[in-house]
Amino acid sequence: MMDDTLFSLAGRRALVTGASRGIGLTLARGLGRHGAKIVLNGRNPDALEAARTMLENEGLDAVTARFDVTDQDAVIAGVDAIEHEHGPIDILVNNAGIQRRAPLEQFSRADWDALVATNLNAVFFVGQAVARHMLQRGRGKIINICSVQSELARPGIAPYTATKGAVKNLTKGMATDWARHGLQVNGLAPGYFQTEMNENLVKDKEFTKWLCQRTPAGRWGQVGELVGAAVFLSSDASSFVNGHILMVDGGLTASV
C-alpha cells in the first residue's frame, strides 16, 4: 500500500524568507501545493502582496510577514508575531540571499558587509528565533539554502562563496545542537538555475556554453526542479536526515 502521508505537509506552517520572487517564491508555492500554510517574508510590501495574491489565486493558504532578516531585533519580533497571530512555524526555509560580483582585490567593504549580513547573519538570526519556539515543541524543520558555492569557488565571487560555505557549516552546527531536541536542520544547495539573480549569466552565451559543458546534465536548472528536494526535507520522509547538504545541481559537484 502507498503511504500518501509521507510527503504530505498538510496542517503545517512554513515561513519562507526572501519569498517575493525567484527561488523563494517557487519553494513557497511548492510547499503550499503539498498542503503547507505559507508565510511569505520579505522587505518590499508591494512585492510581498503581489506574491501572496498570486498564491491565493492558485488556491493556496498564504499570508505575509514583512521584516528585515538582517536586523536581529526585527527578526525576533517578526517571528514572535507570526507565532502569536498565525500559529506555530513548523518549517523554516532560510532563502533570503544576495550576490555581488567583482575581482577579489577590488571588492569593497560595503559589498562584503552586505553579503555577510544577508547570506550569513540572517540565517543565524532567523534560524535561532524560529528554533527557540520549535525547541519548546520538540519538533521542526529548518532548511538553509546553500549553493554549489558552498563547496566550489569561481572567479569574481569569492566573498559570496565564503558566505555560502559558512552557511553549510552553520547548518551542520544547528543540526548538531538541535537534532537531539527533535529538529531536523538541513541544507538545500542549488547549482546553476535560471533565476533573476543569474539573468546576466544566462544571457552570456560563452558562460552558458561553459556551464552546459561543465554540468553532466548539460543544461541550466529550472527553479521548479528544487521543489521536490524542499518537500522531502520539509516532510516526515526526512525524519532521520540531519546536517545534510542536498545538492540539486545536475551533477556539477560530482564531476571534474
Side-chain angles (χ1 to χ4, degrees):
M1 294 180 62
M2 293 181 61
D3 184 354
D4 294 333
T5 67
L6 194 59
F7 292 92
S8 173
L9 304 179
R12 303 183 190 184
R13 183 170 289 98
L15 168 61
V16 183
T17 67
S20 60
R21 63 177 184 171
I23 288 175
L25 180 56
T26 297
L27 295 182
R29 176 187 285 113
L31 298 184
R33 287 178 175 175
H34 282 76
K37 300 175 182 180
I38 303 302
V39 182
L40 304 166
N41 163 262
R43 289 185 290 186
N44 185 319
D46 294 334
L48 273 181
E49 182 57 26
R52 186 201 66 78
T53 300
M54 182 187 304
L55 297 188
E56 188 176 72
N57 289 341
E58 295 175 11
L60 304 180
D61 186 335
V63 298
T64 63
R66 180 174 170 257
F67 55 84
D68 182 352
V69 293
T70 69
D71 180 336
Q72 188 174 30
D73 291 338
V75 167
I76 292 170
V79 168
D80 287 349
I82 294 168
E83 291 267 339
H84 177 72
E85 296 171 14
H86 302 292
I89 298 169
D90 304 292
I91 302 160
L92 167 63
V93 181
N94 257 323
N95 167 76
I98 61 172
Q99 174 65 289
R100 297 285 188 271
R101 296 183 175 92
L104 185 57
E105 67 275 11
Q106 299 173 17
F107 211 88
S108 72
R109 171 66 186 272
D111 282 344
W112 170 271
D113 288 345
L115 281 171
V116 171
T118 304
N119 295 356
L120 179 57
N121 290 352
V123 174
F124 169 66
F125 294 159
V126 183
Q128 183 189 63
V130 170
R132 284 171 173 165
H133 293 277
M134 290 179 169
L135 290 168
Q136 294 176 9
R137 295 188 285 266
R139 57 182 172 80
K141 301 276 190 174
I142 296 177
I143 302 170
N144 296 327
I145 301 302
C146 299
S147 169
V148 292
Q149 264 74 54
S150 295
E151 300 290 344
L152 303 172
R154 191 171 62 78
I157 59 167
Y160 178 84
T161 300
T163 63
K164 288 300 184 178
V167 171
K168 177 189 75 172
N169 272 346
L170 178 58
T171 300
K172 293 177 181 291
M174 287 177 169
T176 300
D177 278 14
W178 297 335
R180 73 194 69 183
H181 301 292
L183 277 60
Q184 286 88 51
V185 187
N186 295 288
L188 174 57
Y192 284 88
F193 281 74
Q194 289 186 293
T195 64
E196 293 178 27
M197 184 182 290
N198 287 331
E199 184 176 359
N200 290 335
L201 293 179
V202 174
K203 292 179 179 179
D204 186 330
K205 293 182 179 179
E206 183 176 344
F207 182 86
T208 293
K209 180 181 179 181
W210 169 84
L211 176 67
C212 292
Q213 291 174 339
R214 175 67 180 82
T215 304
R219 61 177 176 84
W220 284 88
Q222 303 299 315
V223 289
E225 293 177 296
L226 293 167
V227 170
V231 171
F232 166 66
L233 294 176
S234 299
S235 70
D236 289 342
S238 59
S239 61
F240 202 56
V241 179
N242 240 318
H244 179 69
I245 310 302
L246 177 53
M247 293 287 177
V248 184
D249 63 359
L252 189 150
T253 52
S255 175
V256 294

